[in-house]
Amino acid sequence: MEEYAREPCPWRIVDDCGGAFTMGVIGGGVFQAIKGFRNAPVGMRHRLRGSVNAVRIRAPQIGGSFAVWGGLFSTIDCGLVRLRGKEDPWNSITSGALTGAVLAARSGPLAMVGSAMMGGILLALIEGVGILLTRYTAQQFRNAPPFLEDPGQLPSKEGTPGPGYPSYQQYH
Amino acid sequence: MICTLLRAVRCTERLHGCPGKPWFLPHSVPHRACSQTEPRWRWGLQEQNTAARPRYIWGVNQRSIWTQGRSLQSAKEDGSKRVSVHRSQGGETVLSTSQKVKEAGRDFTYLIVVLIGITITGGLFYTIFRELFSSSSPNKIYGKALEKCRSHPEVISVFGEPVKGYGEATRRGRRQHVSFIEYTKDGLKHMRVKFYIQGSEPGKQGTVHLEVKENPESGEYEFRYIFVELEPYSRTIVIEDNRS
């Protein structure tokens, strides 16, 4: 596990920012291509030119705003991990709420609260999906529960330390 | 270029209130107003402000056309208003039976879609609430065990003061998922959880194993054992041992 020896957290920000930008550019590119196609005058050449123009102008903007959202979310998430000292689904939900609030800061406090709620609810839904996926895909791999004894590393009640062989347990 | 040309033509249409006329070449069309892209209603207001200035389009005096255009526009608006009122009054008798059935079918489909959406969202919310707030969720148990680890003097001496905990590394480095296993023994539910802790001492990483057992009277989970296993020389620190 040498490649995971370094902490994911500061590098995760760059990771998330870039990933969000790519998602925004690709998704925005597809939508803007269709929109530019439809809003252009009749004639295939006009339509294609309109489509390309719309993508050229709007897709980087959409990618940029996605990247801002993703980078800010990841920054706040890493900050919370550093602060609380443990990694939790709570970090994600709070980060989503704070990101929504910060990005709506120019529209006043009421808009900040609404945006924070939307961000928090969105992140809660995403976390729920993640949890469900993890649980159900892990359950597929679980065999019949073996007869589980107390692990060998735990010293027995008499006080003699147990040997260091790994316990044959299946976690998910 | 084509877009600005179109916009200029639309601008003149609004100006003169007769969209059905054939294409004119807008030489001296007020580009200033038309060069603004959005919103469209601003064009109308700006045009009213500058209506006093006479302009030459097609050799006709601008002012007369402007007033004509305005009256035409207002007449058209009244006409459209009248038309809309008339349509709503006679609305119910226009729908035939087949159209009603189609409408009902469409409404029913929308209702089904909305119900499915609500069900899925409700299921997700229930999952996340159970995960975060129920005391029998692995995350809560992990939180409680982490607190116990943090306040244990031997752990502090080995790892260094701010002890942080995390779970399994999922995709892109997020480590929120703690691995756990549930099983039933003698009719009581047990759960084993495994997570990792790390302190400020570099390179020292420990694995925490714990087991909880369901208390039959209160329904709460109680710790059976918690121990920390250190990687390099597999020394174990027992934090709690309640096996009976």
Side-chain angles (χ1 to χ4, degrees):
Chain A
M1 278 239 303
E2 281 316 307
E3 65 270 18
Y4 294 114
R6 70 172 189 196
E7 285 293 314
C9 221
W11 289 270
R12 208 167 79 192
I13 301 176
V14 178
D15 218 351
D16 281 352
C17 196
F21 179 76
T22 312
M23 265 197 329
V25 161
I26 293 180
V30 167
F31 273 106
Q32 289 297 319
I34 296 178
K35 193 165 159 190
F37 190 88
R38 288 179 60 181
N39 287 348
V42 180
M44 192 44 77
R45 220 158 7 125
H46 297 313
R47 287 208 192 267
L48 285 180
R49 206 186 317 161
S51 173
V52 166
N53 267 338
V55 169
R56 183 173 57 94
I57 290 175
R58 285 285 299 157
Q61 292 176 355
I62 297 177
S65 55
F66 266 66
V68 161
W69 211 97
L72 192 62
F73 167 74
S74 206
T75 311
I76 300 181
D77 199 20
C78 282
L80 279 177
V81 162
R82 189 73 177 262
L83 204 71
R84 291 178 74 210
K86 71 175 182 175
E87 308 214 7
D88 233 3
W90 271 122
N91 290 348
S92 296
I93 297 177
T94 317
S95 310
L98 285 178
T99 308
V102 164
L103 287 179
R106 292 166 93 181
S107 317
L110 197 60
M112 281 173 75
V113 167
S115 192
M117 270 175 30
M118 266 177 43
I121 288 177
L122 183 70
L123 258 298
L125 290 176
I126 294 178
E127 284 297 310
V129 167
I131 290 173
L132 278 178
L133 272 178
T134 321
R135 299 279 161 88
Y136 283 127
T137 54
Q139 259 182 3
Q140 283 176 5
F141 292 105
R142 194 148 70 110
N143 302 332
F147 177 56
L148 289 168
E149 317 175 314
D150 290 341
Q153 297 99 328
L154 197 62
S156 53
K157 274 295 190 179
E158 285 81 357
T160 57
Y165 61 82
S167 46
Y168 295 103
Q169 300 175 6
Q170 288 174 347
Y171 289 97
H172 66 93
Chain B
M1 201 193 85
I2 298 178
C3 307
T4 48
L5 190 67
L6 267 184
R7 249 186 262 126
V9 170
R10 274 194 223 125
C11 187
T12 57
E13 282 171 6
R14 274 186 75 87
L15 193 58
H16 301 293
C18 29
K21 280 218 177 154
W23 290 58
F24 297 114
L25 272 182
H27 284 302
S28 50
V29 158
H31 283 291
R32 190 182 20 89
C34 292
S35 60
Q36 291 175 13
T37 51
E38 293 100 24
R40 268 201 197 174
W41 53 266
R42 240 198 259 155
W43 292 353
L45 280 182
Q46 271 217 344
E47 286 319 301
Q48 286 166 17
N49 288 342
T50 58
R53 206 188 308 158
R55 280 184 296 272
Y56 259 99
I57 296 187
W58 312 293
V60 185
N61 193 1
Q62 183 60 25
R63 223 177 280 167
S64 57
I65 291 189
W66 174 242
T67 52
Q68 270 182 23
R70 252 212 231 150
S71 65
L72 270 174
Q73 262 191 350
S74 55
K76 205 171 66 123
E77 276 169 3
D78 285 343
S80 66
K81 268 190 232 162
R82 281 200 295 267
V83 165
S84 64
V85 163
H86 172 75
R87 197 183 297 147
S88 70
Q89 276 179 349
E92 296 88 15
T93 59
V94 178
L95 282 179
S96 66
T97 316
S98 71
Q99 281 180 324
K100 269 192 227 162
V101 166
K102 257 190 266 181
E103 286 278 334
R106 207 181 312 153
D107 292 344
F108 185 64
T109 319
Y110 288 164
L111 186 68
I112 295 290
V113 169
V114 164
L115 280 181
I116 290 177
I118 291 181
T119 312
I120 293 178
T121 311
L124 289 177
F125 272 129
Y126 172 69
T127 305
I128 194 71
F129 278 159
R130 199 183 48 177
E131 183 69 24
L132 291 178
F133 292 113
S134 136
S135 60
S136 60
S137 77
N139 256 294
K140 274 281 181 154
I141 295 171
Y142 150 62
K144 281 192 238 172
L146 189 64
E147 288 307 308
K148 291 199 180 201
C149 291
R150 275 187 178 150
S151 48
H152 198 258
E154 199 174 347
V155 170
I156 296 175
S157 72
V158 169
F159 285 103
E161 186 55 72
V163 173
K164 56 180 190 159
Y166 50 91
E168 304 301 320
T170 57
R171 34 121 201 155
R172 45 187 203 92
R174 307 179 75 219
R175 308 186 286 192
Q176 297 173 349
H177 174 72
V178 286
S179 64
F180 69 99
I181 184 172
E182 282 182 346
Y183 63 97
T184 309
K185 189 169 168 184
D186 304 329
L188 289 177
K189 282 201 284 197
H190 297 241
M191 190 191 310
R192 294 199 184 178
V193 180
K194 174 178 82 149
F195 60 95
Y196 308 100
I197 58 172
Q198 193 173 0
S200 47
E201 295 264 341
K204 285 265 178 74
Q205 194 202 18
T207 311
V208 179
H209 298 263
L210 65 96
E211 177 172 341
V212 288
K213 186 170 75 166
E214 185 191 4
N215 190 348
E217 292 103 47
S218 67
E220 294 277 320
Y221 277 97
E222 292 171 347
F223 286 102
R224 258 193 90 213
Y225 61 77
I226 308 175
F227 70 92
V228 184
E229 178 188 354
L230 292 170
E231 306 262 5
Y233 34 87
S234 67
R235 168 180 149 206
T236 60
I237 306 172
V238 178
I239 297 185
E240 216 177 284
D241 195 351
N242 302 329
R243 298 171 297 165
S244 52

